Amino acid sequence: MQSVLIGVFLLILGSAAQAQGPDPDPGEDRFAACRIELADEARSRGIPERIVSEALLPVRYQSRVIELDREQPEFRQSFAAYLQVRVSTARITTGRLMLASYPKLWSRLLTEYGVPGRYLVAFWGLETNFGSFLGRMPTLDVLATLACDERRSSFFTEQLMTALGLIEREGLEPATLRGSWAGAMGHTQFMPTTWRDHAVDGDGDGRIDLWNSIPDAMTSAANYLADLGWQPGMRWGREVRLPEDFPYAQTGLSQRRPLSHWRDLDVRTASGAQLPASDLEGAILVPMGHRGPAFLVYQNFEVIMQWNRSQSYAIAVGHLADRIVGGGDLVGGLPDVERAPARSTIRALQQRLIELGHDPGEPDGLMGPATRAALRDWQAAAGRIADGYPDRDTLEALSVTGRDAE
């Protein structure tokens, strides 16, 4: 009898727990208070009360956005895997179709902004796969959630306030604003401040619609690149061949040299031709070290990086643009490496470099320019090939443990 009573008691406790549901997300409570603060901020900036009431106060907390913002996968794609996925046969084929489908648009944008259509099509392909996936998350919810999160609160508060201003300026319906988990919108994934400062009416209908008007989206992209400093008539860069005795310590975006300098070092085009003896400056990048492909990149490459700060992204844009107009695959090929070093491994590498007197910047687990430069310095001092790439041998030599790229 006693066991039966205990069983009934446990059943009642279980039912009560189920009725209460899962533990509430502590972010929900903070969000409720923050939403009121955001409304006050909007009013102080002159956002009309109607928009505050109809667009801002109804926003809801999106816990999945915080999860995605915090996600730090143990493994990340190597440059080889990244490029193969983004510059795929299907994307090249579709890109050629898109380039052929809007000849008048590309011609006009080249004349007005100096940006060739192949680059705009490449951005379009990488951002939303030519509009096939624009993102489904409610943009105002996303921006409010991230504005109320301490990690990048100031940045996303500004994006949210700008989005509210766009609702008034462009006559947008709040419910129709949908995009990525980080708040980017439309065919080319503009953040609200990018929209505000660079988007233009490309089809002449008197309004800007980055979701439904390809002329608006592409004209805005061309205007954005022009505003960032795009150099008409110049390419992004090119694949090159490096000699066996190439001084890899001279690689990296911070070490731009005239083409005549690289020519003197016997850097050649992918086809083996000599570089011109020119004063035009370019930098050599080796994203997978001395065993991988090499690229000579120009000023427009750095313009692409202002759109997205990833060197891998910028190379993918340039290479896809070349493939769309008939360029071939990389002559040097890509090493068969699927995964880059884990973020924890890069953080350990950065800490080790600091111990040895080199400056990789704040240890953040990201293989950025400062970390590559610090690693090149150590490699050069140790008599190694100073390519700034953390391959297995380099990590072992530095006594860095963890899961690495090879």
Side-chain angles (χ1 to χ4, degrees), residues 264-278:
D264 290 344
L265 292 177
D266 199 29
V267 175
R268 293 177 176 264
T269 69
S271 65
Q274 280 192 318
L275 295 175
S278 167

Side-chain angles (χ1 to χ4, degrees), residues 155-399:
F155 173 80
F156 283 104
T157 296
E158 184 62 31
Q159 297 300 324
L160 176 61
M161 296 300 132
T162 301
L164 295 173
L166 287 171
I167 290 173
E168 180 184 22
R169 189 184 87 179
E170 302 295 333
L172 302 174
E173 289 294 330
T176 66
L177 270 63
R178 291 185 174 269
S180 77
W181 67 265
M185 300 173 286
H187 281 268
T188 51
Q189 294 292 278
F190 274 17
M191 292 297 289
T193 52
T194 306
W195 180 331
R196 177 195 65 198
D197 297 337
H198 306 286
V200 292
D201 174 16
D203 56 18
D205 67 353
R207 60 190 300 268
I208 300 170
D209 185 346
L210 300 184
W211 290 275
N212 302 300
S213 171
I214 291 173
D216 282 6
M218 296 301 110
T219 305
S220 296
N223 184 55
Y224 183 30
L225 290 169
D227 288 347
L228 291 175
W230 186 270
Q231 298 298 299
M234 287 182 59
R235 60 189 300 159
W236 69 278
R238 65 170 76 228
E239 183 187 9
V240 291
R241 294 182 179 182
L242 306 180
E244 289 187 7
D245 60 348
F246 181 77
Y248 283 89
Q250 294 188 29
T251 60
L253 276 180
S254 64
Q255 304 197 74
R256 292 190 296 175
R257 303 282 194 278
L259 294 189
S260 55
H261 172 83
W262 301 124
R263 177 189 170 102
D264 290 344
L265 292 177
D266 199 29
V267 175
R268 293 177 176 264
T269 69
S271 65
Q274 280 192 318
L275 295 175
S278 167
D279 291 334
L280 176 66
E281 290 192 339
I284 301 290
L285 302 182
V286 284
M288 297 196 75
H290 66 282
R291 296 187 181 93
F295 302 92
L296 174 61
V297 300
Y298 308 120
Q299 184 173 341
N300 281 341
F301 180 85
E302 298 188 45
V303 172
I304 295 172
M305 283 197 64
Q306 292 182 67
W307 184 304
N308 183 315
R309 296 304 303 173
S310 164
Q311 288 188 18
S312 295
Y313 176 91
I315 292 172
V317 168
H319 185 50
L320 179 57
D322 289 346
R323 297 298 303 276
I324 286 171
V325 293
D329 203 353
L330 297 179
V331 172
L334 291 166
D336 186 19
V337 178
E338 285 294 317
R339 291 171 173 172
R343 192 160 183 172
S344 59
T345 302
I346 298 301
R347 189 178 293 110
L349 168 66
Q350 292 167 326
Q351 292 168 341
R352 180 64 176 147
L353 288 170
I354 291 172
E355 293 171 4
L356 295 172
H358 302 281
D359 182 14
E362 184 69 23
D364 58 3
L366 300 175
M367 199 66 197
T371 302
R372 289 185 181 276
L375 182 55
R376 284 196 301 268
D377 290 344
W378 174 82
Q379 289 170 325
R384 293 172 167 268
I385 295 177
D387 59 10
Y389 183 66
D391 58 16
R392 181 188 294 260
D393 180 61
T394 297
L395 294 173
E396 289 178 351
L398 282 164
S399 301

Side-chain angles (χ1 to χ4, degrees), residues 85-102 106 117-118 120-126 128-133 187 214 218 320-321 323-326:
V85 168
R86 285 157 183 80
V87 189
S88 63
T89 300
R91 189 162 285 165
I92 294 167
T93 301
T94 305
R96 289 172 179 170
L97 176 63
M98 293 302 176
L99 190 65
S101 297
Y102 304 95
W106 309 131
R118 64 182 180 274
L120 299 169
V121 172
F123 276 107
W124 190 12
L126 264 66
T128 60
N129 201 27
F130 310 105
S132 65
F133 185 73
H187 281 268
I214 291 173
M218 296 301 110
L320 179 57
R323 297 298 303 276
I324 286 171
V325 293

